[in-house]
Amino acid sequence: MEQIVVVGSLNMDFAVEVKEMPEKGETILGKKVSLIPGGKGANQAYAVSRLGKKVQMIGAVGTDIFGDKLVGNLEKAGVGTEGICRVENRESGQAFVFVNEAGENSITVIQGANQDLTEARVDENEERIDRCDAVVIQLEVPVPTVVHTAQVARKKGKLVYLDPAPARPDLPDELFASVDIMKPNETELKILTGMEVSTGKEIILAAKSLLKKGVGAVIVTLGEKGCVLVTEKLVKEFPARKVNAVDTTAAGDSFTAGFLAAYEPDGEKREENLEEALLFAGKVSAIAVTRKGAQSSIPTLAEVMEEQKGED
């Protein structure tokens, strides 16, 4: 796939470094705060471009200084930003990210202008969808927009990839039926299906329930345990690469970008291509978690290849 469209969120991340996450009712002293461009959609677009693919971003920001910085950062990475609209009298999306010494994070998102990414605004960018090979969506923008985007892309024969975060239990069935590949983590899988996911067997059963709703393939990311691929024909685990994680903020978005950059949706070799793309995705996310921040942590294709050369 050479041309990818990402339809989703742009947020300015306020990354707060803390020793430990605060308990309920507790006041703690943070170590440092940094302003870093983020948002699941923007992170994925930024990462796909860093990995050498052409990518267009469809989204919405406010007319504030954060909007300027969010769009400018994507442009520096080579992302096409003509599909990003500026919404008057609305603040850009913001995320408050707490990161502890173990590299674990907790995130609160203020949607801001992301709420103004409507179905009509997606339709205004139909030409971009026409020219692409795959459309990537998440759930930090209105669900009706997500459903509409998936259905439009499916009708046009495009690969539809859904990162279902933040997960919610009330997604309409027509969305699942329009998704080729879905990538939930364990928590998201539990929310989406209402099923237990405490064991490997339970995770597989929950993933298969999504297949029954029409999803083509499910990739369940398991953090330091890697991921598991579930299709109608295959169930396979992929162990995580051992690294010293310092910040997992953009790990999932880097994984998504790595997968899309490597995946070749050839009908005859689909299962083989899925596996190869997942291995590459693991390499990309393993590098990202060793660095701080969202877009600031995402590696280039050259860095991934250099890391692989060192292992060989």
Side-chain angles (χ1 to χ4, degrees):
M1 295 186 293
E2 294 300 326
Q3 182 76 263
I4 294 166
V5 166
V6 178
V7 180
S9 58
L10 300 95
N11 296 322
M12 181 58 72
D13 289 354
F14 292 74
V16 182
E17 297 180 27
V18 297
K19 182 176 181 180
E20 296 178 347
M21 296 298 182
E23 299 290 338
K24 182 178 180 180
E26 180 184 15
T27 298
I28 64 172
L29 296 177
K31 296 181 178 181
K32 179 183 177 182
V33 61
S34 304
L35 266 65
I36 305 171
K40 293 197 72 63
N43 289 346
Q44 290 166 5
Y46 183 95
V48 168
S49 185
R50 295 266 287 177
L51 294 172
K53 300 295 181 179
K54 294 179 181 179
V55 57
Q56 293 279 334
M57 178 83 204
I58 298 174
V61 296
T63 51
D64 53 11
I65 189 172
F66 295 147
D68 296 336
K69 290 182 177 296
L70 289 168
V71 174
N73 202 60
L74 289 179
E75 289 175 342
K76 287 179 183 177
V79 177
T81 61
E82 295 84 358
I84 301 174
C85 64
R86 304 298 293 261
V87 184
E88 295 287 342
N89 301 316
R90 173 77 88 168
E91 75 280 3
S92 297
Q94 298 166 46
F96 297 85
V97 185
F98 290 82
V99 183
N100 67 14
E101 291 182 342
E104 300 166 332
N105 64 41
S106 176
I107 305 173
T108 299
V109 175
I110 307 299
Q111 286 184 290
N114 292 308
Q115 297 176 80
D116 298 291
L117 183 59
T118 61
E119 294 133 284
R121 285 189 162 129
V122 171
D123 289 341
E124 290 169 2
N125 291 278
E126 190 172 355
E127 268 186 41
R128 293 181 173 84
I129 296 175
D130 285 336
R131 295 195 299 267
C132 78
D133 301 303
V135 173
V136 185
I137 45 181
Q138 324 80 31
L139 298 176
E140 287 184 345
V141 297
V143 170
T145 302
V146 174
V147 175
H148 178 71
T149 301
Q151 291 177 327
V152 168
R154 171 57 69 86
K155 287 178 182 177
K156 293 178 180 292
K158 310 302 180 181
L159 179 86
V160 179
Y161 181 107
L162 172 62
D163 181 349
R168 47 192 296 171
D170 59 346
L171 293 178
D173 288 342
E174 55 263 36
L175 175 58
F176 295 100
S178 299
V179 173
D180 294 293
I181 299 172
M182 182 180 288
K183 185 204 71 67
N185 61 26
E186 291 168 278
T187 301
E188 292 156 0
L189 182 63
K190 182 175 181 178
I191 293 171
L192 290 169
T193 64
M195 300 171 66
E196 287 300 320
V197 294
S198 301
T199 67
K201 184 176 180 180
E202 289 175 343
I203 288 171
I204 293 168
L205 287 173
K208 286 186 175 180
S209 75
L210 295 177
L211 298 182
K212 291 177 181 178
K213 290 188 174 185
V215 178
V218 179
I219 302 164
V220 185
T221 52
L222 308 171
E224 62 185 17
K225 293 181 287 185
C227 70
V228 58
L229 169 65
V230 182
T231 71
E232 292 289 354
K233 298 179 180 179
L234 178 69
V235 174
K236 186 168 183 178
E237 296 181 8
F238 296 80
R241 301 163 70 82
K242 302 299 181 184
V243 296
N244 181 26
V246 298
D247 185 354
T248 59
T249 300
D253 299 328
S254 299
F255 184 97
T256 287
F259 177 86
L260 292 165
Y263 184 50
E264 298 178 14
D266 185 298
E268 294 181 0
K269 297 182 179 180
R270 182 169 179 269
E271 307 294 344
E272 180 182 335
N273 289 340
L274 278 169
E275 294 183 38
E276 291 176 357
L278 286 171
L279 291 172
F280 186 78
K283 295 173 185 177
V284 176
S285 60
I287 294 174
V289 299
T290 64
R291 304 170 177 179
K292 293 181 180 180
Q295 291 171 27
S296 57
S297 73
I298 296 168
T300 63
L301 178 61
E303 288 173 327
V304 179
M305 300 312 292
E306 186 63 29
E307 184 82 10
Q308 181 172 311
K309 188 188 301 181
E311 294 175 354
D312 295 342

